[in-house]
């Protein structure tokens, strides 16, 4: 099966340990600096590629060293990058992560390049060659508002393709009803599994059942809520719900990208025609591997290793 992943690519640079009073110090010693890839569309693409799926990425990087690093990592994991465009006038989206000894994180981010993304960046030809079109970062890309994103998904549906979406809470407040921010897009979305914070923001509800009810008005094939340390809840008919607890066999090292690892694992399983429960268990396992090392997808293994873990536990 083939997936077209659309959205943000990041170069992540974690800096540790960062004293809480860093702004009062002239200098401080840190550990060796290691670069990582990030961004939801990119991380989902790498996870799917590690699972053995054919995946192409539509994204943007700058004509700089960070961009070269991102492209080299994508190539190393066999992600098709011929639709990743290089922008000379913008820097590659970069996140400098200041990490305290207690794990508390503070981010310095340059992501202006992501505002350039439009539906027109994804051609009908590219859509026709995929089985599923995934969009990460709904609500976070200025250029991909409800009008632009719904255009992308309508074109995908017109070509008989599945659509899947993830969201981001990194949004400015709006005077309109929050659900209106994605109302048109949700009419052509097949799979939507936001985090609790994202789902609560859109539905303007705090109770999980109330949130599920709010999304039941849309023709989603699968809806779910990622509940962090409490696992996830999934449904394919808004009548029956599958609630899964997370695995606890791994030490938590870095939760950055955990939701993206879950999404990549879920899409891999879903495209194989597995049951909702099987998809959820597999996705949770991928996410568990993902949080066991620094970097959004560093510790994600291959498909067989994840399957062995799921069968054992």
């Amino acid at each position: 099966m083939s997936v077209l992943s659309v959205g943000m690519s990041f170069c992540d640079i974690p800096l540790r340990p960062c004293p809480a009073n860093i702004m009062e110090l002239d200098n401080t010693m840190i550990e060796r600096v290691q670069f990582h890839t990030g961004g939801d569309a990119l991380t989902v693409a790498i996870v799917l590629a590690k699972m053995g799926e054919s995946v192409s990425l539509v994204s943007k990087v700058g004509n700089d060293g960070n961009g070269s690093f991102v492209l080299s990592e994508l190539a190393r994991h066999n992600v098709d990058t011929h639709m990743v465009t290089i922008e000379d006038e913008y820097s590659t989206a970069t996140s400098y992560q200041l990490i305290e000894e207690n794990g508390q994180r503070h981010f310095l981010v340059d992501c202006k390049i992501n505002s350039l993304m439009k539906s027109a960046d994804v051609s009908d030809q590219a859509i026709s060659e995929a089985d599923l079109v995934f969009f990460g970062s709904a609500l976070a890309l200025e250029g991909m508002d409800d009008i632009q994103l719904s255009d992308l998904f309508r074109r995908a549906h017109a070509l008989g393709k599945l659509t899947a979406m993830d969201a981001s809470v990194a949004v400015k407040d709006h005077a309109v009803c929050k659900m209106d921010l994605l109302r048109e897009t949700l009419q052509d979305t097949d799979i939507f599994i936001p985090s609790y914070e994202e789902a609560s923001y859109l539905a303007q509800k705090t109770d999980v059942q109330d949130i599920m009810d709010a999304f039941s008005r849309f023709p989603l094939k699968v809806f779910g809520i990622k509940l962090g340390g409490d696992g996830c809840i999934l449904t394919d008919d808004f009548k029956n719900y599958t609630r899964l607890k997370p695995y606890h066999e791994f030490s938590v090292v870095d939760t950055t990208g955990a939701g993206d690892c879950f999404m990549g694992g879920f899409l891999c399983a879903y495209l194989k025609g597995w049951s909702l429960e099987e998809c959820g268990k597999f996705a949770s396992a991928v996410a568990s591997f993902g949080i066991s090392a620094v970097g959004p997808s560093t510790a994600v293994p291959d498909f067989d290793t994840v399957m062995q873990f799921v069968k054992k536990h």
Side-chain angles (χ1 to χ4, degrees), residues 44 134 164-166 191 193 226 259-267:
V44 167
F134 168 75
M165 178 173 66
D166 211 340
I191 303 169
I193 311 177
K226 298 185 289 260
D260 302 328
C261 289
F262 180 96
M263 199 70 193
F266 186 91
L267 295 179

Side-chain angles (χ1 to χ4, degrees), residues 4 6 58 118-128 133 144 147-163 188:
L4 185 64
V6 184
V58 180
K118 298 286 186 181
S119 176
D121 290 313
V122 188
S123 67
D124 285 348
Q125 178 64 34
I127 295 172
S128 69
V133 177
M144 290 296 291
I147 296 173
Q148 290 286 318
L149 186 48
S150 61
D151 174 74
L152 172 63
F153 278 11
R154 282 193 190 109
R155 288 191 289 126
H157 269 180
L159 291 168
K161 309 303 178 179
L162 289 168
T163 59
D188 282 284

Side-chain angles (χ1 to χ4, degrees), residues 1-75:
M1 305 294 278
S2 177
V3 176
L4 185 64
S5 185
V6 184
M8 295 192 296
S9 294
F10 263 86
C11 175
D12 289 347
I13 307 177
L15 306 173
R16 69 174 74 202
C18 177
N21 64 336
I22 183 62
M23 300 305 292
E24 300 172 13
L25 304 176
D26 288 331
N27 63 75
T28 188
M29 299 296 293
I30 62 173
E31 298 174 5
R32 178 186 175 188
V33 177
Q34 294 182 305
F35 286 34
H36 298 276
T37 56
D40 39 21
L42 180 150
T43 301
V44 167
I46 286 181
V47 169
L48 284 166
K50 285 187 172 187
M51 295 300 107
E53 301 295 334
S54 174
V55 57
S56 300
L57 178 66
V58 180
S59 191
K60 295 180 182 293
V61 298
N63 188 10
D64 51 28
N66 290 350
S68 296
F69 167 74
V70 167
L71 290 172
S72 67
E73 286 295 288
L74 289 166

Side-chain angles (χ1 to χ4, degrees), residues 14 81 103 119 145 156 170 182 208 216 297 299:
T81 61
S119 176
D145 58 12
L182 291 174
V208 169
S216 66
S297 60

